[in-house]
Amino acid sequence: MYKKLIILLVVSLITSVLRADPPDPPVGKRWVLNAKFSDEFNGNKLDATKWYDYHPNWSGREPGIFLPSQVKVGNGYMSITGKKLEKDSIQIRKDGTKKIFNIAGGAVVSKTTDAYFGYYECKFKAAKTTMSTTFWMSTRGSTDGPTDCENDKYGLELDFQECIGREGDFDGKYFARGMNSNSHYWYTDCEGKRHDYRAPQSKIETKTMPSEDFYTYGGWWHNESKVSYYLDDRKVKTVDFYDEVTKKPFDKSMGLNMVSETYPFPWIKLPNDEELADPTKNTCYYDWVRVYNLVDIDEKVKNNATENLFIFNDRVYFNNKLSKISSENNIDVSYSYMSNLDREVLIKVFDENKKLVIQTKHTVFAGFGNRDLQLKLNNKLKNNKTYVAKIFVKQPNAKKNIVTDEFKFVYKK
């Protein structure tokens, strides 16, 4: 589907026509969309098969409460609106103390928590208030820690982007500019004391405040020990997770969260009544969220959602374009491709008279893949002659090519 230029109230929301792509996959691997945690928000209501419109384990940070009424889907966006409550909402804790809420925010949370290693990205525009606009992952509940004692527990949190929509006279105003990424190892030791162990923060300035423009925030969760953060498809920083308690700390799957909440006062000032009542300021807009799994390049994946969503633009390109080749037996070829459907790839070598000398053909599966292969020469190339290597992508059994790439080289024995 194509998103239209729309005007919501008096706010003009312009989304980029450029598609976002995951990072280059390793050789022999390809990215495939994980439909369970991906959404283009092109309907008129939240997909209840994927998302809660609240947080199942968290009411919100006082004085902000998560309310399903503040979450909307329409015009190609999922939106969360901040609001001042007409009267306080009071909850009683287990110890008898009160939790008092007087500001409404919202949370859109994945129903499942089996999101694991992969690439996570989300395109959104923050609200222009001091309420947060966020994209992050977390475990729900705790897991037994490495020490054999009663209290030893841990939980995980991976924050790709946490920001607010305006600056002001408060310490946390820097959250209004740029991409703020963190990872937390929430550890409860044998004495029952809870620790927030963090890896170094990743902070990168954006050209404008996140509440001024849409940006794409991403993270490649490589393995139990490392994550790389991305801003508009550009890698910002690679961070090693805190590993003083366990050597491979991020070893549990997590759920995905898109949340607008209040932050602790006075670190960040609470939103004022005026901005919460202003529809040009009080709403954040999520364009889409996409999650990719890294699989073997020849692994057939069932229910690949790209066929219906058309996430990728068809593309193919040589990764190595050599000007001279001297091998007597074969040519080492490396190429990458993107496609929403399974395709047929042909690689051909032509001489100076455009005569076909060598060719090979094989099928590639939908996704974004990176492949190395060898073209057997079989003594068909002549010394000191110029040749052209071309790669073609087309639908299986079709005559018309979809995309191509090529390079010239001189063959020297």
Side-chain angles (χ1 to χ4, degrees), residues 264-280:
F265 177 82
W267 178 60
I268 291 177
K269 282 186 178 180
L270 294 174
N272 58 54
D273 293 355
E274 181 182 1
E275 62 191 12
L276 287 175
D278 188 340
T280 69

Side-chain angles (χ1 to χ4, degrees), residues 92-321:
I92 306 299
R93 296 184 177 93
K94 292 181 179 180
D95 63 2
T97 59
K98 294 180 178 180
K99 296 172 68 176
I100 300 176
F101 301 97
N102 53 38
I103 294 173
V108 173
V109 176
S110 66
K111 287 198 166 181
T112 60
T113 58
D114 58 349
Y116 206 43
F117 305 147
Y119 186 66
Y120 296 78
E121 63 177 356
C122 185
K123 183 177 182 180
F124 64 80
K125 181 180 181 182
K128 296 183 178 180
T129 72
T130 58
M131 293 190 73
S132 71
T133 307
T134 63
F135 173 51
W136 50 291
M137 306 177 69
S138 62
T139 51
R140 294 179 201 158
S142 57
T143 302
D144 289 341
T147 304
D148 187 19
C149 65
E150 181 179 357
N151 294 319
D152 186 44
K153 303 285 183 182
Y154 73 95
L156 306 174
E157 180 180 332
L158 181 52
D159 304 319
F160 300 116
Q161 166 64 323
E162 296 180 287
C163 65
I164 58 175
R166 69 167 174 85
E167 297 176 314
D169 184 19
F170 49 88
D171 291 341
K173 63 183 179 182
Y174 66 88
F175 260 54
R177 290 194 173 274
M179 179 178 177
N180 307 281
S181 307
N182 283 291
S183 60
H184 303 257
Y185 187 87
W186 298 100
Y187 180 60
T188 302
D189 61 25
C190 292
E191 285 70 42
K193 184 177 180 181
R194 193 168 189 240
H195 304 269
D196 176 9
Y197 292 131
R198 306 186 185 191
Q201 183 187 44
S202 173
K203 168 75 176 182
I204 184 69
E205 292 281 323
T206 46
K207 292 181 180 179
T208 58
M209 286 196 295
S211 59
E212 297 289 334
D213 293 287
F214 282 88
Y215 289 95
T216 299
Y217 307 99
W220 184 350
W221 181 12
H222 296 275
N223 50 42
E224 299 94 336
S225 302
K226 183 171 64 175
V227 63
S228 296
Y229 300 112
Y230 289 76
L231 174 63
D232 284 343
D233 293 342
R234 177 173 59 89
K235 185 164 73 172
V236 175
K237 189 176 183 179
T238 297
V239 173
D240 293 327
F241 297 127
Y242 180 90
D243 63 357
E244 294 299 315
V245 178
T246 58
K247 291 303 178 184
K248 294 182 177 181
F250 273 65
D251 60 347
K252 301 298 178 184
S253 63
M254 294 187 272
L256 201 60
N257 313 297
M258 291 164 281
V259 171
S260 180
E261 60 183 294
T262 52
Y263 278 142
F265 177 82
W267 178 60
I268 291 177
K269 282 186 178 180
L270 294 174
N272 58 54
D273 293 355
E274 181 182 1
E275 62 191 12
L276 287 175
D278 188 340
T280 69
K281 296 179 178 180
N282 63 8
T283 302
C284 56
Y285 297 93
Y286 290 81
D287 193 354
W288 46 256
V289 56
R290 297 170 187 162
V291 175
Y292 300 89
N293 292 338
L294 195 63
V295 302
D296 289 339
I297 197 163
D298 290 323
E299 179 182 340
K300 185 69 174 178
V301 177
K302 295 181 179 179
N303 302 322
N304 193 330
T306 56
E307 182 173 346
N308 298 320
L309 296 177
F310 294 97
I311 297 298
F312 297 114
N313 284 323
D314 276 292
R315 186 181 177 195
V316 67
Y317 52 92
F318 285 112
N319 296 318
N320 57 336
K321 294 187 175 184

